[in-house]
Amino acid sequence: MVVQAQSRRQQARVVEAGDVADGIRRIVLELEHPEHAAPGTHLDIELSTRDGRITRSYSVVRSDSGGRLLTLSVRLSPTSRGGSKAMHALAVGDELTVTGPLQNFPLAVGAGRYVLVAGGIGVTALVAMATALRRRGADYELVLVGRSRRYMAYVDELRGEHGDRVRLHVDDEGTPLSVPDLVRDVAAGPSDTELYMCGPIGLMDAIRASWSEHALPESNLRFETFGSSGRFDAEEFRVRLPQFEREVAVAPDASILDALDAAGIDTLSDCRKGECGLCLAKVVEVDGTIDHRDVFLSETQKQRCASLCLCVSRAVAADGDHATVTLQLP
Amino acid sequence: MTLTPQPTAAAPTAAAEPAAAAPTTAAAKIFNHPRNAWYVAAWDHEVTGKQPLARTVAGVPLALWRNAEGRAVALADACWHRLAPLSKGKILGNELQCPYHGLRYNATGRCTAMPAQETINPSAIVPSYPVVERYRYVWVWVGDPDLADPMTLPDMHQMDDPSWAGDGETIHADCNYQLVLDNLMDLTHEEFVHSSSIGQDELSEAEFDVTHEGDTVTVTRWMREIDAPPFWLKNMRDKFPGFEGKVDRWQIITFQAPGTICIDVGVAKAGTGAPEGDRSQGVNGFVMNTITPETDRSCHYFWAFMRNYCLDSQTITTQLRQAVHGVFGEDEDMLRAQQSAIDANPEHEFYSLNIDAGGMWVRRILERMLAAEGRPSAVPAAGRDA
Ligand code: FES
Ligand code: FES
Ligand SMILES: [Fe+2]
């Protein structure tokens, strides 16, 4: 369970590509420098899109032959910034530049009970964890949440592997997940229960809110964000910087950080996914609504809206026009 | 930590090394160690709730501590933030606090507190390694945690079985761990290294028998109708005051992978049936050894001498510990000198003798374990640490 954030860049070849659910493609890569991918790891993949080269992260669903074959699953996002579109276009034999497995979401050893909550495509980050917990003989439960079974990957496989430990909640089958019930059950169980979640920000926010209502330890709530989902769809907005007498436009598929970089304005950043807070900037004025999308600021701080994370936060217009955010940079 | 790939920071990985080939004839001089194994990290009393203990196990620096619930914990000895050693930190109930900027971690390695912010970075975690406490030791698994099965711990039950008494120590040996295994698998050296205590000419004259099965190797040697060397004469007289005469002496060495060697030793009045199984007219001890690789050229050598007679004599416990301490000090000097000579003569090979059979079967088992991990048995010449 080595936390690992750096790895060699290498070539990978697509050896399998096929659909596993509506709009979800399973892609198996063969890596040049195999390395076992532990549960919770992801790969960074370089992709060419019409806007140039971009890097996207995808969870490793399976690691076979000591990491020579890694399975990913990618959902085609309707508001794709190009990443999932490029991934869906891959065919057997295609070559890609990838990192080795990177670890930001390790499965802890020794918790009394584990609850894994997967929303939609978030299941990809939890498949390998569930297998590891089964092998360890741990006490665990796998909660699968989705809008419709058509869009849910791996349901049958997971039921086959984990039997009664799988709980299925499907909106259009009238069995939606009740987050308050879920968290109440956790609170009633062993105090060292850990909950691992991966899914849409709405689901994760609801669990987080319920978690703090029950005063459960924040450290037992584990999640991974790729900083890509928000409360609102991404749209273009403007950032005004009085200190430089500049105004830059932020395209729907770029971050404020990208826009500032492109404009030659010096910034600091580290994680680029709303976790570390290094990119924090002061909000002077907002015309529109801020969609924070980070996990660095607390709920209270987000409501106060005195600052935002340049790497993930966005703005949406109240009416048809573009939103404008006035920022003060360090 | 950035997620952007860093082409210049490519870390060599275990799997990228060439896999172990078929066993070769020349014995590897600097032997690699398996990672998927339980190793003793410390005596149970060394791991406390007062002060973390810094110890490197199989190349992995650990901070060992005990939380408020009394559970022994092994965390990587480097803080997530700026890698300050957590072993220099403070234990606060169920948490360990980094000595530098105060990040706190629980037993699973998850950060529980960060200074100057209202949330905790979800990625802030240090590795926590599986731990089992058994036989008065704290055992740690630094390999793939999903393979850590406590059922695979070696049997060292004499350590805390009420029908045995004794104690031991730890030697920090400046040599590759496999040299210690070699040393213990062949006790012919007692005649030359330990001539004043347990050595005697009959050692190299007596036949020995080597067997192996699964992940164990056994070397058995009986010496009949001999004079007891000083160490054993003293033990006989503890149990049979005023004892005089010949003895039958035994040494039954059992290796359990990857680093435990328990040696059933003793002497009995000659001709009273000890070789056939009646040891009532003798004294029996178990030399319990478990070797934990530290770096490629150092190891932690945990030993104890357990006996099944005069159980309530603390005097005898102390005397035996002191005697073995003296004996093992002679081994330690030899092992250090051997490692220096190995390093000073990189072009020279190891050759084997008939007496090395036990040690060579041990190597075969370790080679198999390493091959299963996709790692070579000899440490690659370039790197000094695995
Ligand atoms: S760079 Fe880490 S929060 Fe923005
Ligand atoms: S190095 Fe540990 S808190 Fe900064
Ligand atoms: Fe010796």
Side-chain angles (χ1 to χ4, degrees), chain B residues 23-272:
Chain B
T24 51
T25 46
K29 291 185 291 179
I30 305 295
F31 215 87
N32 232 334
H33 47 257
R35 293 194 181 110
N36 289 328
W38 292 106
Y39 288 111
V40 169
W43 290 88
D44 53 9
H45 61 79
E46 292 183 281
V47 179
T48 72
K50 293 201 183 84
Q51 186 73 52
L53 172 71
R55 189 149 290 164
T56 295
V57 170
V60 180
L62 300 174
L64 298 161
W65 56 290
R66 211 174 272 286
N67 71 9
E69 288 153 17
R71 176 169 150 201
V73 181
L75 298 184
D77 196 12
C79 179
W80 173 83
H81 175 222
R82 287 294 197 249
L83 309 184
L86 295 176
S87 57
K88 290 200 184 328
K90 218 188 260 168
I91 301 167
L92 304 168
N94 279 327
E95 292 169 359
L96 181 59
Q97 184 178 52
C98 175
Y100 204 174
H101 312 97
L103 257 63
R104 280 193 244 144
Y105 299 93
N106 65 17
T108 69
R110 172 70 171 120
C111 177
T112 55
M114 281 190 163
Q117 63 184 67
E118 295 185 10
T119 57
I120 301 172
N121 189 316
S123 303
I125 287 168
V126 295
S128 173
Y129 299 93
V131 169
V132 171
E133 287 201 66
R134 198 168 297 169
Y135 311 131
R136 295 162 63 180
Y137 293 125
V138 174
W139 302 77
V140 174
W141 181 285
V142 298
D144 180 348
D146 291 318
L147 302 176
D149 178 0
M151 295 301 285
T152 63
L153 279 170
D155 173 17
M156 298 186 80
H157 72 273
Q158 291 86 350
M159 293 296 294
D160 54 7
D161 183 322
S163 42
W164 295 84
D167 203 1
E169 295 177 351
T170 312
I171 296 170
H172 184 263
D174 293 318
C175 66
N176 180 263
Y177 79 111
Q178 201 274 329
L179 298 182
V180 183
L181 301 180
D182 269 353
N183 171 286
L184 291 165
M185 289 309 286
D186 166 45
L187 299 181
T188 317
H189 78 268
E190 290 183 356
E191 187 175 332
F192 308 98
V193 179
H194 312 304
S195 53
S196 66
S197 52
I198 50 175
Q200 59 187 162
D201 296 351
E202 289 86 348
L203 277 160
S204 56
E205 287 158 13
E207 300 251 313
F208 62 92
D209 199 41
V210 181
T211 58
H212 63 96
E213 201 195 325
D215 284 350
T216 64
V217 180
T218 306
V219 180
T220 308
R221 185 184 330 240
W222 279 91
M223 291 151 277
R224 296 171 206 231
E225 289 281 334
I226 59 168
D227 290 320
F231 175 83
W232 285 112
L233 188 59
K234 184 247 177 238
N235 295 341
M236 273 302 269
R237 287 180 177 161
D238 281 341
K239 184 168 171 188
F240 306 102
F243 169 77
E244 296 279 1
K246 299 278 183 190
V247 296
D248 292 335
R249 178 180 177 186
W250 68 89
Q251 295 173 326
I252 304 167
I253 310 169
T254 306
F255 166 82
Q256 301 175 78
T260 299
I261 297 177
C262 300
I263 314 180
D264 174 4
V265 288
V267 299
K269 293 174 189 167
T272 56

